[in-house]
Amino acid sequence: METRKNQSLVFAVNGHRFEVSNIHPSTTLLEFLRTQTSFKSVKLSCGEGGCGACIVLLSKYDPVYDQVEDFTVSSCLTLLCSVNGCSITTAEGIGNSKNGFHPIQERFSGFHASQCGFCTPGMCVSLFGALVNADKTNRPERRPGFSKLTVSEAEKCIAGNLCRCTGYRPIIDACKSFATDVDMEDLGFNSFWRKGENKEVKLSRLPSYDRKSATCVFPEFLKKEILAGANLDYQGYDWYCPVSLEQLKGLLQSDKANEGTSMKIIVGNTGVGYYKELLHHDTYIDLRYIPELSIIRKDPSGIEIGAAVTIYKAIEALNKGNEGEFNLEDGLVFKKIADHMEKIASVFIRNTASVGGNLIMAQRKHFPSDIATILLSVDAIVDIMTGQTHEKLTLEEFLGRPPLDSKSVLLSIKIPCWGSSRDVSSDTYTKLLYETYRAAPRPLGNALPYLNAAFLAEVSLCKNSTGRMLKNCRLAFGACGTKHSIRVREVEEFLSGKLMCIDVLYEAIKLLESLVMLEDGTSSAAYRSSLAVGFLFEFLSPLTDCNVKISDGLLNGYNSTLLFKNSNQERDEFGEIKFPTLLSSSKQVIQLNKEYHPVGEPTTKTGAILQASGEAIYVDDIPSPKNCLYGAIIYSTEPLARVKGIKFKPGSSPDGVITVISSEDIPGVNLGSKMVFGTEPLFADELTVGVGQRIAFVVADTQKNADIAANLAVIDYDKENLEPPILSVEEAVKRGSFYKVPSFLDPKQVGDLSKGMAEADHRILSAEITLGSQYYFYMETQTALAVPDEDNCMVVYSSTQCPEFAHDTIARCLGVPGHNVRVITRRLGGGFGGKAVKAIAVATACAVAAYKLQRPVRIYVNRKTDMIMAGGRHPMKITYSVGFKANGKITALKLDILIDSGMFVDASPVMPKCILSALKKYDWGALSFDIKLCKTNLPSRAAMRAPGEVQASYIAEAVIEHVTSTLSMDVDSVRNINLHTHSSLDLFFTSSAGERLQYTLPSIWDKLATSSSFYHRVEMIKEFNRYHIWKKRGISRVPIVHEVNLRATPAKVSVLHDGSIVVEVGGIEMGQGLWTKVKQMTAYALSLVKCGGTDDLLEKIRVIEADTLSTIQGGLTAGSTTSESSCEAVRLCCNILVERLVPLKERLMEQMASMEWEMLILQVEVNLITGETTNLRTDIIYDCGKSLNPAVDLGQIEGAYVQGIGFFMLEEYPTNSDGLVTANGTWTYKIPTVDTIPKQFNVEILNSGNHNNQVLSSKASGEPPLTLAVSVHCATRAAIREARQQLVSWSGRNESDSTFQLKVPATMPTVKELCGLDSIQKFLQWTIGKNRG
């Protein structure tokens, strides 16, 4: 075997040549780009390939065909050694401020598609990659100004990218604006054109796009240096790129391999996203240069795919198999397999993940592989090489064997043809039926399935019979709680040779139920079994309808005429399954206010274009100072224990560790955060009082080494003579463990409860509901950089919502005067309350380490640690009693609420007031409550976006729904009768109720009914539900009332010699558009110096980062009103400047303009077979007062609403029995994605006139819309109610128990359980009974 070593890696980044020879093989492309280059647009967010923040475009040149292949990859998983000879393009390489921005970046900015901006570079690269590849196709020439990309492709190209801020709608618009088949009228609110302008004008206003814009130029110097994979040696760690099977055999049988050297075979390295690696391997072997492993061979017997072929290329090959290379039936089987593969992971993972790697993970590690299931159903054959031996096995045999050893290699997978091999009798007309199934939290993939399945069968129509006979069935299931994908042979044998009818189908399903035995510990076991039944029912049920003809299209689910009126798939009038685009249309109705120009204008968010190009600087983008060290937090995994010591796992010696900082190293007070309500220690002393509590801070030479060391840390605990920990609110009550609520935050009771209960005709007593937590999932995790300065000073760069509190905490912890500490915050990559108190300790830990070591120290907390320590939204248990009249009017409500506040008080004392404020949206008659803040040994909870308010919104609607069910009334009428009058509003909100004319809720309620055709849609939904068995729809209309409270915030406005203006404010820019509104306010206020010229003035203003030694007492950026407070502070500053400069000019003339932007709509549809909920249409009317910037407020409304959808429908934040979070990454925690937002999304921002107590009559927009998302939950409940009534009717009963609890979040298993896990069996029993009757 010949393998040359010590070659160099040669590659390009944004056209710049890099040659690297001294690099550890485990180094990722992301690590290299962020630490060794100036290109910081690639962001680390999850480190698992699950978010898209780190995407780059990888280009490879093929000298044989003189072609360049371009594809997006996840740089956090891609190993640097694998990019030899490649060209990498980041967001800066697409366009930048120096060389000019790309139309993608300009349109992202102009469509208001960037808020915090942390995800935006990855979004732009995803779109750029799609444009580059679409314009390479041989499709017809595009329309001038557009690409060859289709609308569907434009939407799907970002399906794997996560965004927590925008709600995705404007991002989709920016992407669709490039599509050749886009209707310009479908593009939403933007800064390019105005309502009423024709399509030609609109196109002319868009940043121009031409063929040059879709070109990614491969550097000529790389074409001349094309190399095979490099073989590298770094301090005893090897990277090999064998170019033949013989070389591979030699490596696998080498002395190193026989001596037990840790060896890793890789192709795309995407598996480490799921199976984390704590330690480095000694040898890495890259299989991509071995021709036999990268081949795709087609012959009449089938398609052979090399094990190193990427999933993307396999999809491409299988789709081409449907273009005439095989007979119709085989081509359509291949197409079905390809379609299913497109739902695996995301496009940037499929581009590098190999088919063989996926199957190896399934075989060795029991990975819930979709590929294993679909290939198992078609009797795929695998070729295995062990030493000199080649062995061909069926995939079933391969999966059933013991785990493949490290010296065995999967070479290829053969997918056989079925259509040409069948023996068709002259007495029958036989066709092939093939279908695949998948139930997952996200329709387009990027989520592991609850269950997958694939079924193949020959269906014969006997000439002398009206029935259909099944032969050669292949029924495969995966992710079903078994070690690997399985065939259910007993069901296959039962069905073989039988004429299909309802009775046979029922017997097959009963047999399947008895055979699908899930392993102990399988989550949602009953739900998965129910899915297996549901998928088989979907596959076989059409065959029981004898009035349907078998045609040539029987095989193809896309054009089958095998229509079944209760089929789970919607088809158009031609029998084709409808695959609508993700977002069909939307509408934004916005009234512009020109009274305070440029305040009120929808100006583009400040810095949005820099965020799109990746040039916006976040804390972790700041270049590391010389001699910088890196930290990682060691946290407690026990809820209550003494800490005796910390050591590393036996046999491990983490590289690069400098020291471990603990409470003993703190020079001042052991203080991790300081709030008005209390403090918490930086590190546990002798006793850890909560799971996830910080115990120590390990410092190393790189972030990777620090993280590895923290993972290898072993804490020595002692629990002797300690009381059991408090792990529930019930236990806290038993032991009297509570936090106090200050009197000024203690809400007041409303009305006379006894009187209200006495007046009631009906009462519900002591009903209970529980609510779980929610993780912030800011795209940028907690991060800080501490740099020692002269004279015992410390400069700390922190991603925090409250630099002032961080400043005070750091000074006390270091034991230095406050003027020796300086905390600087420019922008946050998302916050949502999670970077208020929680960020302080992270910054302080860095400062303590830097102070002790007198070297800069920084940290970027990995996603797992962040999720374990974050705490998140407050869980709670609610007990309520309610009295109400026969007409639904509620007369009294009593609430007992237990809130899990965790181990430290944090901001929990604000919760009672927040809960009551949101609860008061209805007139309860009398409202009595007892709210307790429970102190537990769980992570302390923080004030997450809309704290208490989102839970209160749910509590209010749960009560309304319960009353409705009890009275058997229409829920909308019960909501309507309990809306406030102005007099009841005054009773509940006292001084903050406002004037009668300012109470707009009743008019909004009626306006929404009209604008959304609410009553007409109610009737249409009733009709839909009557005629559809397996899909039910629901609709819901809910109000919110949000109390706005402004806080004092500092500001400083400086006019420089050249007339440019610098503004400093206490508020922090974290995506909410604070800087943008502040700039507008400054321009308006200073424009009073002269008449006109405000647009020029806007360009002269710069808002700069928060600095605690410049703008002191900046306070906390939270509560939705910091933008307004900052604007008011700026206005007061400018007033003083105006008074100094010139006499006050007359106020500008009042002007008002109305604009309507058409694009989106919503309703809810529940799939009764899978429990999947689809948001069809959402209509929001939001009273923003006189918006300071309607574009910014629109983004806040949509983004908050979609975040609320996550809380109510998707996001589970489970823990183990000790309270340790188990959903600690993108694989297990699912926030909304582009495929889970409403199909139609309508938002109207209402200008409700003058509000004298507000800043220029504006209102808050950051948090209140989140509480509106309860409507999705309520509409889902309505659809479930229909399903339950149908289920009861099949049992022969006339009435059902319409009272049920729909948990939060209403995940697919939860919904399916309420709709009936045995609904299919009940339906078949009912059908059989009806037929026999």
Side-chain angles (χ1 to χ4, degrees):
M1 177 190 71
E2 294 183 5
T3 52
R4 293 182 299 145
K5 283 191 180 180
N6 298 321
Q7 296 177 359
S8 296
L9 300 175
V10 179
F11 55 93
V13 181
N14 297 331
H16 299 276
R17 184 180 188 275
F18 286 85
E19 184 169 351
V20 180
S21 58
N22 195 26
I23 195 79
H24 194 288
S26 68
T27 302
T28 65
L29 177 57
L30 174 72
E31 289 175 68
F32 178 82
L33 291 173
R34 291 196 59 80
T35 60
Q36 304 297 319
T37 77
S38 61
F39 306 115
K40 301 297 178 71
S41 65
V42 283
K43 309 295 186 189
L44 175 61
S45 183
C46 71
E48 300 176 325
C51 72
C54 69
I55 293 177
V56 298
L57 187 72
L58 199 68
S59 302
K60 288 185 176 181
Y61 176 66
D62 185 340
V64 177
Y65 296 99
D66 190 26
Q67 291 179 346
V68 176
E69 181 185 7
D70 303 289
F71 50 94
T72 52
V73 303
S74 183
S75 65
C76 73
L77 301 179
T78 302
L79 296 178
L80 184 67
C81 291
S82 68
V83 303
N84 193 46
C86 298
S87 176
I88 294 107
T89 305
T90 70
E92 298 101 327
I94 296 172
N96 54 68
S97 56
K98 181 179 179 181
N99 300 319
F101 295 109
H102 191 279
I104 289 174
Q105 295 157 338
E106 293 174 319
R107 295 190 192 185
F108 261 74
S109 175
F111 276 97
H112 312 293
S114 181
Q115 289 187 24
C116 87
F118 203 79
C119 71
T120 309
M123 295 277 185
C124 291
V125 175
S126 284
L127 176 57
F128 182 65
L131 291 174
V132 167
N133 284 304
D135 280 9
K136 285 182 183 179
T137 63
N138 56 4
R139 297 172 184 172
E141 277 303 307
R142 57 196 175 188
R143 290 190 289 163
F146 296 92
S147 73
K148 292 184 180 180
L149 203 66
T150 65
V151 166
S152 178
E153 290 169 339
E155 292 177 339
K156 289 180 180 179
C157 77
I158 56 160
N161 295 72
L162 301 185
C163 173
R164 194 54 148 168
C165 298
T166 65
Y168 298 101
R169 194 274 311 162
I171 298 174
I172 294 171
D173 279 348
C175 295
K176 284 167 59 176
S177 72
F178 292 93
T180 189
D181 57 340
V182 69
D183 184 345
M184 299 290 280
E185 296 298 316
D186 279 347
L187 299 179
F189 189 58
N190 60 74
S191 63
F192 302 119
W193 63 74
R194 290 293 175 260
K195 179 67 178 176
E197 294 178 340
N198 63 42
K199 293 181 180 180
E200 289 72 23
V201 171
K202 289 179 178 179
L203 181 57
S204 70
R205 298 265 177 90
L206 277 174
S208 62
Y209 177 83
D210 53 30
R211 185 176 296 276
K212 185 179 177 182
S213 302
T215 302
C216 184
V217 178
F218 193 87
E220 287 296 325
F221 66 79
L222 266 187
K223 290 183 179 180
K224 298 172 184 175
E225 299 189 48
I226 294 301
L227 303 168
N231 297 306
L232 299 167
D233 180 8
Y234 173 79
Q235 298 179 4
Y237 296 97
D238 299 313
W239 176 280
Y240 293 106
C241 293
V243 296
S244 67
L245 285 177
E246 287 304 313
Q247 283 192 2
L248 176 61
K249 291 175 187 176
L251 289 170
L252 295 176
Q253 296 169 9
S254 65
D255 292 339
K256 271 193 171 185
N258 292 326
E259 290 168 2
T261 298
S262 173
M263 187 174 289
K264 180 177 184 180
I265 294 176
I266 69 161
V267 176
N269 198 48
T270 55
V272 300
Y274 189 75
Y275 297 106
K276 308 297 186 298
E277 295 180 350
L278 297 183
L279 297 174
H280 306 311
H281 296 277
D282 300 309
T283 301
Y284 295 76
I285 302 175
D286 185 351
L287 300 183
R288 293 174 304 145
Y289 298 92
I290 302 174
E292 293 91 337
L293 299 186
S294 299
I295 196 167
I296 297 176
R297 184 183 293 111
K298 301 179 183 179
D299 60 40
S301 66
I303 299 178
E304 185 176 5
I305 297 173
V309 171
T310 65
I311 296 173
Y312 169 78
K313 288 195 172 181
I315 291 170
E316 197 175 46
L318 289 163
N319 277 327
K320 287 180 180 177
N322 191 37
E323 296 175 0
E325 296 183 58
F326 296 92
N327 67 43
L328 178 64
E329 290 187 337
D330 289 322
L332 291 174
V333 168
F334 296 145
K335 178 71 167 62
K336 287 279 188 180
I337 294 172
D339 289 342
H340 192 107
M341 283 186 176
E342 285 190 344
K343 296 178 181 179
I344 297 170
S346 53
V347 63
F348 49 84
I349 296 298
R350 295 194 295 269
N351 285 337
T352 55
S354 66
V355 175
N358 186 285
L359 292 176
I360 287 292
M361 287 199 304
Q363 203 272 347
R364 283 181 177 160
K365 301 183 177 182
H366 307 149
F367 179 73
S369 165
D370 283 86
I371 293 177
T373 303
I374 56 181
L375 296 187
L376 182 62
S377 68
V378 292
D379 285 351
I381 304 294
V382 298
D383 187 0
I384 308 293
M385 180 184 78
T386 304
Q388 300 299 321
T389 306
H390 281 252
E391 188 177 14
K392 291 187 182 294
L393 303 169
T394 66
L395 183 57
E396 186 176 22
E397 292 170 334
F398 172 68
L399 293 173
R401 280 192 171 188
L404 208 64
D405 65 44
S406 60
K407 295 184 180 181
S408 298
V409 178
L410 174 62
L411 300 181
S412 66
I413 305 97
K414 177 72 173 284
I415 306 175
C417 288
W418 279 77
S420 57
S421 63
R422 290 181 292 112
D423 179 24
V424 180
S425 167
S426 59
D427 293 331
T428 60
Y429 178 62
T430 305
K431 281 293 179 181
L432 200 63
L433 184 64
Y434 184 69
E435 192 59 76
T436 71
Y437 300 89
R438 191 176 201 269
R442 293 172 179 158
L444 286 184
N446 203 21
L448 290 177
Y450 291 109
L451 188 85
N452 53 47
F455 307 142
L456 181 144
E458 293 177 24
V459 182
S460 299
L461 178 62
C462 302
K463 292 183 178 179
N464 300 322
S465 171
T466 58
R468 294 179 180 83
M469 182 180 292
L470 290 185
K471 294 190 294 184
N472 288 332
C473 288
R474 300 289 187 274
L475 307 178
F477 293 92
C480 53
T482 54
K483 288 183 178 180
H484 52 75
S485 301
I486 59 169
R487 291 257 306 272
V488 282
R489 290 186 176 274
E490 292 90 338
V491 181
E492 294 173 1
E493 292 166 4
F494 169 79
L495 289 170
S496 184
K498 288 200 170 54
L499 288 174
M500 281 306 302
C501 63
I502 290 290
D503 295 76
V504 170
L505 176 57
Y506 181 55
E507 291 301 319
I509 281 173
K510 284 202 300 183
L511 180 59
L512 177 63
E513 273 189 290
S514 67
L515 294 172
V516 178
M517 304 297 291
L518 283 70
E519 292 185 349
D520 291 342
T522 301
S523 63
S524 306
Y527 170 64
R528 293 174 196 252
S529 295
S530 177
L531 281 176
V533 167
F535 289 158
L536 186 62
F537 173 77
E538 274 198 82
F539 183 67
L540 296 177
S541 60
L543 302 178
T544 64
D545 187 349
C546 297
N547 295 319
V548 175
K549 296 179 180 178
I550 293 182
S551 72
D552 286 340
L554 170 62
L555 166 77
N556 185 8
Y558 293 101
N559 60 10
S560 174
T561 58
L562 189 65
L563 302 184
F564 183 58
K565 66 181 179 179
N566 299 321
S567 172
N568 206 35
Q569 293 176 311
E570 295 288 320
R571 293 175 170 83
D572 63 18
E573 63 269 29
F574 303 107
E576 300 225 359
I577 293 179
K578 295 179 182 177
F579 286 106
T581 56
L582 303 181
L583 194 67
S584 49
S585 67
S586 71
K587 182 172 66 174
Q588 299 86 44
V589 180
I590 293 169
Q591 295 176 331
L592 297 187
N593 168 32
K594 295 184 179 290
E595 182 178 1
Y596 308 110
H597 182 79
V599 173
E601 289 291 325
T603 58
T604 301
K605 180 182 177 294
T606 298
I609 192 76
L610 293 177
Q611 291 170 184
S613 68
E615 296 171 282
I617 303 297
Y618 300 82
V619 171
D620 199 51
D621 297 333
I622 299 170
S624 292
K626 186 178 179 181
N627 295 322
C628 188
L629 298 173
Y630 301 80
I633 296 170
I634 299 173
Y635 53 82
S636 173
T637 55
E638 291 286 343
L640 184 64
R642 297 183 190 89
V643 178
K644 298 176 66 178
I646 301 172
K647 55 188 177 183
F648 294 109
K649 287 182 180 177
S652 68
S653 54
D655 295 332
V657 174
I658 306 298
T659 189
V660 176
I661 305 288
S662 67
S663 60
E664 297 175 355
D665 299 292
I666 296 172
V669 180
N670 184 5
L671 190 64
S673 69
K674 172 178 172 286
M675 293 282 288
V676 65
F677 307 119
T679 63
E680 68 173 274
L682 178 59
F683 300 120
D685 286 315
E686 296 180 355
L687 189 72
T688 174
V689 296
V691 67
Q693 183 181 8
R694 296 172 301 277
I695 290 180
F697 189 75
V698 60
V699 182
D701 58 348
T702 68
Q703 188 65 63
K704 177 193 277 187
N705 285 339
D707 287 336
I708 289 174
N711 273 317
L712 293 174
V714 176
I715 302 168
D716 185 9
Y717 296 107
D718 176 17
K719 293 187 271 187
E720 189 176 353
N721 298 325
L722 290 177
E723 288 188 348
I726 299 173
L727 299 176
S728 68
V729 291
E730 293 87 352
E731 184 62 24
V733 171
K734 286 181 185 177
R735 290 161 63 173
S737 180
F738 304 114
Y739 295 109
K740 289 185 178 180
V741 178
S743 58
F744 70 92
L745 287 175
D746 206 359
K748 301 296 183 287
Q749 314 281 328
V750 180
D752 186 334
L753 179 71
S754 299
K755 181 181 176 184
M757 282 293 188
E759 292 174 351
D761 299 327
H762 305 274
R763 295 170 192 82
I764 297 170
L765 302 177
S766 300
E768 290 186 359
I769 50 179
T770 57
L771 288 169
S773 187
Q774 182 184 22
Y775 173 58
Y776 314 96
F777 216 105
Y778 27 61
M779 294 300 292
E780 171 203 48
T781 58
Q782 304 281 6
T783 180
L785 165 64
V787 183
D789 203 356
E790 64 181 15
D791 197 20
N792 206 31
C793 292
M794 186 68 64
V795 180
V796 181
Y797 301 88
S798 174
S799 181
T800 177
Q801 293 175 235
C802 46
E804 177 195 347
F805 298 162
H807 181 119
D808 294 344
T809 301
I810 291 168
R812 290 191 61 192
C813 202
L814 297 184
V816 300
H819 60 57
N820 280 31
V821 175
R822 184 182 177 198
V823 177
I824 298 173
T825 302
R826 179 174 294 183
R827 60 169 60 84
L828 273 58
F832 316 116
K835 292 181 181 173
V837 179
K838 300 291 184 182
I840 297 173
V842 174
T844 305
C846 274
V848 169
Y851 191 83
K852 177 182 179 179
L853 300 172
Q854 283 302 296
R855 290 174 64 177
V857 176
R858 74 187 316 161
I859 184 175
Y860 190 82
V861 179
N862 66 71
R863 182 63 69 178
K864 176 183 176 182
T865 300
D866 197 284
M867 294 189 74
I868 285 172
M869 295 174 56
R873 198 177 290 284
H874 287 76
M876 54 185 70
K877 178 181 179 181
I878 305 98
T879 304
Y880 65 87
S881 298
V882 59
F884 47 98
K885 296 282 192 180
N887 64 354
K889 179 66 186 78
I890 294 171
T891 57
L893 175 63
K894 183 180 187 304
L895 293 163
D896 293 295
I897 301 177
L898 301 176
I899 300 174
D900 178 0
S901 299
M903 58 181 139
F904 300 112
V905 67
D906 203 286
S908 292
V910 305
M911 290 294 289
K913 185 175 180 180
C914 292
I915 290 171
L916 266 296
S917 176
L919 265 173
K920 293 176 185 177
K921 67 179 182 176
Y922 289 118
D923 174 11
W924 303 109
L927 178 60
S928 176
F929 47 86
D930 179 21
I931 302 176
K932 288 184 169 63
L933 304 180
C934 299
K935 182 178 182 179
T936 64
N937 296 111
L938 299 170
S940 52
R941 314 296 175 174
M944 185 175 177
R945 192 179 195 176
E949 295 155 0
V950 67
Q951 295 101 321
S953 184
Y954 171 77
I955 294 167
E957 299 307 331
V959 172
I960 291 286
E961 296 267 4
H962 200 164
V963 169
T964 300
S965 298
T966 303
L967 296 174
S968 299
M969 290 181 63
D970 171 58
V971 68
D972 194 66
S973 64
V974 175
R975 287 192 177 101
N976 190 46
I977 200 172
N978 286 291
L979 290 180
H980 280 293
T981 62
H982 187 265
S983 59
S984 67
L985 191 76
D986 196 46
L987 171 66
F988 275 74
F989 288 94
T990 60
S991 59
S992 60
E995 298 297 323
R996 184 177 297 275
L997 292 177
Q998 293 177 344
Y999 179 47
T1000 57
L1001 184 60
S1003 62
I1004 291 175
W1005 186 257
D1006 296 336
K1007 181 180 176 67
L1008 182 62
T1010 303
S1011 64
S1012 67
S1013 305
F1014 179 75
Y1015 297 112
H1016 174 65
R1017 286 162 61 192
V1018 167
E1019 294 306 313
M1020 288 182 64
I1021 286 171
K1022 289 178 181 177
E1023 191 74 2
F1024 178 92
N1025 290 338
R1026 271 196 293 271
Y1027 286 96
H1028 289 79
I1029 291 180
W1030 301 113
K1031 286 187 177 179
K1032 300 295 180 184
R1033 290 181 177 176
I1035 191 168
S1036 177
R1037 176 172 55 153
V1038 301
I1040 63 163
V1041 176
H1042 186 270
E1043 198 169 2
V1044 178
N1045 296 298
L1046 295 178
R1047 297 189 309 275
T1049 304
K1052 182 165 68 175
V1053 180
S1054 307
V1055 180
L1056 306 183
H1057 287 295
D1058 63 354
S1060 60
I1061 298 154
V1062 176
V1063 182
E1064 297 177 69
V1065 292
I1068 303 300
E1069 173 61 56
M1070 49 189 182
Q1072 82 279 45
L1074 184 148
W1075 282 5
T1076 311
K1077 290 180 176 180
V1078 164
K1079 280 184 68 172
Q1080 290 173 276
M1081 179 63 80
T1082 307
Y1084 160 68
L1086 290 182
S1087 71
L1088 301 180
V1089 175
K1090 59 180 182 177
C1091 292
T1094 54
D1095 292 332
D1096 292 337
L1097 190 57
L1098 199 61
E1099 296 302 315
K1100 293 182 178 181
I1101 300 166
R1102 179 180 294 277
V1103 185
I1104 63 173
E1105 60 196 13
D1107 184 333
T1108 55
L1109 288 187
S1110 179
T1111 305
I1112 61 172
Q1113 297 178 342
L1116 172 66
T1117 301
S1120 300
T1121 57
T1122 310
S1123 295
E1124 286 69 26
S1125 299
S1126 297
C1127 285
E1128 178 63 7
V1130 164
R1131 189 180 71 85
L1132 295 174
C1133 289
C1134 291
N1135 285 349
I1136 296 171
L1137 286 173
V1138 169
E1139 288 173 6
R1140 292 173 182 171
L1141 295 171
V1142 296
L1144 195 62
K1145 296 288 180 103
E1146 292 183 0
R1147 295 184 68 181
L1148 299 176
M1149 298 293 292
E1150 282 192 357
Q1151 299 178 51
M1152 291 296 293
S1154 179
M1155 302 179 66
E1156 184 176 76
W1157 302 85
E1158 299 177 1
M1159 196 184 102
L1160 204 74
I1161 310 177
L1162 166 81
Q1163 268 157 332
V1164 170
E1165 181 175 280
V1166 171
N1167 182 321
L1168 271 60
I1169 289 179
T1170 64
E1172 180 182 6
T1173 301
T1174 302
N1175 294 328
L1176 298 178
R1177 174 172 172 173
T1178 292
D1179 295 85
I1180 296 174
I1181 296 181
Y1182 192 85
D1183 181 357
C1184 239
K1186 291 184 178 179
S1187 171
L1188 298 180
N1189 184 317
V1192 168
D1193 287 334
L1194 175 66
Q1196 288 291 287
I1197 292 165
E1198 292 177 338
Y1201 180 76
V1202 170
Q1203 194 172 81
I1205 290 175
F1207 175 70
F1208 285 111
M1209 303 302 294
L1210 292 168
E1211 299 175 35
E1212 295 180 285
Y1213 202 22
T1215 65
N1216 66 12
S1217 59
D1218 286 328
L1220 188 71
V1221 168
T1222 54
N1224 49 33
T1226 55
W1227 286 95
T1228 48
Y1229 192 87
K1230 298 300 178 183
I1231 69 170
T1233 42
V1234 68
D1235 51 346
T1236 54
I1237 66 172
K1239 300 291 184 185
Q1240 299 178 318
F1241 202 170
N1242 300 330
V1243 179
E1244 178 175 351
I1245 295 180
L1246 188 68
N1247 187 326
S1248 59
N1250 295 313
H1251 300 274
N1252 297 328
N1253 295 327
Q1254 302 301 320
V1255 179
L1256 300 189
S1257 297
S1258 65
K1259 293 185 179 181
S1261 62
E1263 294 178 299
L1266 195 148
T1267 65
L1268 279 173
V1270 71
S1271 62
V1272 182
H1273 195 270
C1274 293
T1276 303
R1277 188 199 299 258
I1280 292 171
R1281 185 177 291 112
E1282 291 290 322
R1284 290 168 68 87
Q1285 290 173 354
Q1286 175 179 265
L1287 193 62
V1288 167
S1289 72
W1290 291 338
S1291 302
R1293 292 184 285 138
N1294 294 323
E1295 73 285 335
S1296 67
D1297 180 10
S1298 58
T1299 301
F1300 58 91
Q1301 285 287 348
L1302 176 59
K1303 292 190 296 186
V1304 174
T1307 58
M1308 292 170 66
T1310 296
V1311 171
K1312 172 61 177 173
E1313 183 177 352
L1314 288 173
C1315 291
L1317 292 172
D1318 60 349
S1319 58
I1320 287 171
Q1321 294 90 322
K1322 292 283 180 62
F1323 168 73
L1324 291 174
Q1325 290 168 358
W1326 173 75
T1327 304
I1328 291 170
K1330 188 175 67 170
N1331 291 343
R1332 290 174 179 170

